[in-house]
Amino acid sequence: MIPKIILGKGPQATRRTIGYLFGKGRANEHIDPHLVASWNGFAPDPGRSPHRDPKDVEAQLAAQLDQPVKMLGDKAPKYTVWHCPVRAAPEDPILTDAQWADIARRIAAAAGIAPKGDEEACRWVAVRHADDHIHIAATLVRQDGRRPQRDYDIRAVQREARRIEVDYGLRRLKPGDGTVAKRPTSKEHFKAKRLGQDATSREILRLRVRRAVAAASTEAEFFALLETSGVTVRLKLGPSGDALGCNFALPGDTNDKGEPVLYAGSTLAGDLSLPKIRQRLATTTPEPVALRPGNPWHQATAATERIPHHLALSDDAVAQGQLAALGGALDLLPLTAPAAVRTELERAAVAFERATRSRIAADHASARVLRRSVQALWKDPARHGDGAGLAMLLDVALTAVAYAMHWHRTRQHAQQQAAAEQTLIHLQAAYAQIAGPVLAGLASRAPSPQTKRRYAHQLQQAAPEQAERILDDPAWDALATVLAEAEAAGHNPTTVLDRALSQRTLDDAHSPARALTWRIRRLGERHAPGPRAQAANASHTTQDAATPPPRQPPQGQRR
């Protein structure tokens, strides 16, 4: 159940609200609007007054609601209307008018609008439009002329909604911590539909601003990227002329006066205000860390592979910084990916956005290597055109997101945990599409049975506790291929295996052979051996024929 509080102001605020509640709606979606509850139990109902002009009844109802406000005259508060739509989930049972009336009373009481038993509380009504929702509207002056005590009403209403879900057997939403990004309004949804947009302007802007933050190294580059993506930026300047904040707009998104519809960064998401963006960019500039020349896919993969270590062993600030950087990587990844998987990766990025924020302050400096490597990858994604680079990165990202889910769970971040769970679904779908053809291509170039037996023997020596599981893995042929390629490039396969096994445990890997395949391919390409290693490898190769095949495990011990 989702309640949402909206405040109204102006001399006609109550009349406008009542007119909207009993009107046809912006898309003719209001069906049979009628009162289910009111402050006194007998307020005039424009939807159930067949012998009177509905407009006259609306005016009468608005006047009764407004009476305490009008009594204060010039001393009335700035905001005079409290409006709270309450919507059930599509799968919830259809509630009766009496049940919705009870819910309305509980929400109004929790918000401080009409505490139970308080006869001098604010005047309010609850209007039902359809099976799945009501609107609660109240005026913000009590009948005794005082203001209602509605401190932290948003949190109080959300807490009561969680209790209502339990009492009525409704879908139970995850409790939040106040860091969720502001959702689009129904008006924004209707406008997007009218314009033929798949998403609202708020959602489009949030994604574009997040991508610009992830891709930029400086504030100037951030604004340049926004301009390139078609976002209009208007800075809010202080008396000194310095920029204190910024608003964003999409071209062609205008109000009824033809003016651009501007969204402040902080209203797109809590971490997209200009001060927060500057804080992120301050730890991304080139000076603090210089990346070694090399394959950006490898560097991004290595940095992502370290995220589980930080989530398990580092302090919370560092862990939060790692999650924010991972979110930036996922924001940029669709721009480097084949069209076939772009949609799933975009969905993963949108889902994980919720998992990047909590009440814990992030140490962004701890994740600057990941951000810099992803920026390099975004600027030159052409390497590994066969998809191996993306498959490597997605493989370790899946583990990182699984650790993020556990990290949030242990800290009771319910919404963030759910977001990470949803992210895994989309990443797994993208990974299957990318990794399948790459692994099949590698397996088709598998070395000779004799060479595979030698590698199997070396594997049993290097990782006896994991060997059986790896040899039974469908990706074993692909692993043998990258070992052969590394050996052909001058590496000692035993050394490469040892290094790959030491990078991180395979205990939590869904496919240990697949994980080793990506690690060894990365090691084989990043670490070119010197002349001594080349000579040792040549000597090792001449003895290959004399190497006895490894003893097979007794029948029944292998899976």
Side-chain angles (χ1 to χ4, degrees):
M1 177 164 286
I2 304 175
K4 181 178 181 180
I5 295 174
I6 306 163
L7 299 181
K9 63 181 179 178
Q12 298 298 317
T14 305
R15 187 69 182 85
R16 285 197 308 269
T17 302
I18 295 301
Y20 166 74
L21 295 182
F22 286 94
K24 295 181 179 180
R26 295 185 175 91
N28 295 317
E29 75 278 12
H30 293 178
I31 302 171
D32 187 27
H34 61 279
L35 290 184
V36 294
S38 66
W39 77 95
N40 58 7
F42 52 85
D45 184 354
R48 292 291 187 270
S49 301
H51 303 298
R52 297 180 60 191
D53 184 337
K55 294 297 181 184
D56 291 341
V57 185
E58 288 177 20
Q60 181 186 4
L61 177 59
Q64 290 188 14
L65 287 167
D66 247 350
Q67 188 176 15
V69 177
K70 299 298 185 185
M71 288 176 62
L72 291 184
D74 294 340
K75 296 181 180 180
K78 177 181 179 182
Y79 290 96
T80 58
V81 172
W82 186 91
H83 177 195
C84 181
V86 184
R87 185 177 298 274
E91 65 269 27
D92 285 339
I94 296 177
L95 302 176
T96 66
D97 279 1
Q99 289 172 321
W100 276 119
D102 176 61
I103 290 170
R105 294 186 188 97
R106 291 175 63 170
I107 293 292
I113 295 296
K116 187 175 181 180
D118 187 348
E119 297 182 357
E120 298 297 324
C122 297
R123 296 185 176 188
W124 61 275
V125 293
V127 181
R128 185 173 187 177
H129 281 156
D131 288 339
D132 65 345
H133 73 280
I134 61 171
H135 291 253
I136 307 169
T139 44
L140 290 174
V141 176
R142 291 167 48 87
Q143 295 180 78
D144 58 10
R146 295 184 294 130
R147 311 288 176 84
Q149 296 294 320
R150 57 180 195 87
D151 296 338
Y152 308 107
D153 56 349
I154 295 176
R155 295 184 189 177
V157 164
Q158 291 292 344
R159 284 195 298 269
E160 186 62 26
R162 303 293 81 79
R163 289 190 282 265
I164 291 170
E165 290 162 358
V166 174
D167 294 344
Y168 280 92
L170 308 178
R171 176 187 172 189
R172 298 178 66 177
L173 300 183
K174 306 294 184 183
D177 59 1
T179 60
V180 67
K182 186 176 181 180
R183 294 184 179 90
T185 64
S186 57
K187 181 179 179 180
E188 290 171 344
H189 279 297
F190 291 135
K191 184 175 183 179
K193 185 177 181 180
R194 187 173 68 251
L195 296 176
Q197 297 176 178
D198 293 333
T200 65
S201 295
R202 182 186 300 277
E203 292 166 321
I204 295 170
L205 283 169
R206 182 185 300 139
L207 179 58
R208 291 187 185 180
V209 174
R210 281 180 60 86
R211 283 178 171 172
V213 173
S217 296
T218 64
E219 188 172 329
E221 186 179 9
F222 166 70
F223 289 124
L225 289 170
L226 285 176
E227 183 179 358
T228 302
S229 67
V231 175
T232 301
V233 180
R234 287 192 180 177
L235 296 177
K236 293 184 289 185
L237 304 179
S240 64
D242 295 334
L244 302 180
C246 53
N247 294 325
F248 307 100
L250 288 178
D253 184 15
T254 57
N255 58 22
D256 52 6
K257 298 179 181 178
E259 301 167 336
V261 178
L262 297 168
Y263 295 84
S266 58
T267 65
L268 296 178
D271 55 352
L272 294 182
S273 66
L274 186 57
K276 293 288 182 66
I277 290 171
R278 283 171 170 165
Q279 187 180 23
R280 290 273 291 275
L281 295 176
T283 56
T284 316
T285 50
E287 291 77 15
V289 58
L291 294 178
R292 293 177 296 178
N295 190 313
W297 288 102
H298 293 174
Q299 293 166 340
T301 299
T304 305
E305 197 169 34
R306 290 190 287 272
I307 291 177
H309 170 84
H310 289 295
L311 294 178
L313 300 176
S314 298
D315 62 44
D316 281 359
V318 169
Q320 184 64 56
Q322 295 288 321
L323 294 179
L326 178 58
L330 294 179
D331 286 334
L332 291 181
L333 212 51
L335 305 180
T336 70
V341 297
R342 203 166 293 154
T343 298
E344 288 292 352
L345 291 177
E346 287 175 346
R347 289 172 178 168
V350 170
F352 196 71
E353 183 256 355
R354 180 67 190 100
T356 62
R357 289 190 307 277
S358 72
R359 289 288 180 183
I360 298 170
D363 177 2
H364 294 295
S366 67
R368 61 188 184 274
V369 172
L370 174 57
R371 290 200 304 279
R372 291 288 311 285
S373 60
V374 171
Q375 288 169 358
L377 182 145
W378 169 72
K379 292 174 181 176
D380 181 22
R383 300 284 293 276
H384 280 297
D386 62 352
L390 179 57
M392 289 181 203
L393 183 52
L394 289 179
D395 183 71
V396 297
L398 281 166
T399 303
V401 172
Y403 268 75
M405 184 176 66
H406 174 73
W407 188 84
H408 283 305
R409 182 191 300 122
T410 59
R411 287 152 183 81
Q412 299 183 333
H413 300 164
Q415 290 184 355
Q416 292 89 333
Q417 176 192 337
E421 290 174 356
Q422 189 63 38
T423 304
L424 282 176
I425 295 173
H426 298 303
L427 283 184
Q428 286 165 347
Y431 178 75
Q433 292 184 64
I434 287 293
V438 176
L439 291 169
L442 290 172
S444 68
R445 305 196 303 271
S448 67
Q450 182 181 21
T451 302
K452 286 174 63 178
R453 286 194 296 272
R454 174 162 58 84
Y455 292 155
H457 176 69
Q458 292 167 334
L459 178 64
Q460 288 167 337
Q461 296 295 315
E465 70 286 351
Q466 295 280 0
E468 182 179 354
R469 186 176 170 218
I470 294 170
L471 293 172
D472 282 339
D473 195 308
W476 162 241
D477 281 350
L479 173 56
T481 298
V482 295
L483 277 169
E485 290 176 349
E487 188 171 17
H491 291 274
N492 184 313
T494 300
T495 303
V496 172
L497 261 175
D498 287 339
R499 295 185 66 176
L501 289 165
S502 67
Q503 285 182 353
R504 232 182 66 77
T505 179
L506 293 173
D507 293 340
D508 54 10
H510 178 70
S511 168
R514 199 167 60 192
L516 281 176
T517 297
W518 307 132
R519 293 181 194 179
I520 289 171
R521 177 154 185 177
R522 201 164 74 242
L523 288 168
E525 293 183 5
R526 282 185 62 189
H527 302 281
R532 185 176 299 178
Q534 299 255 11
N537 177 67
S539 173
H540 184 81
T541 304
T542 60
Q543 300 174 12
D544 186 26
T547 302
R551 187 179 65 179
Q552 294 297 316
Q555 187 70 23
Q557 289 189 9
R558 298 187 68 201
R559 290 184 294 173

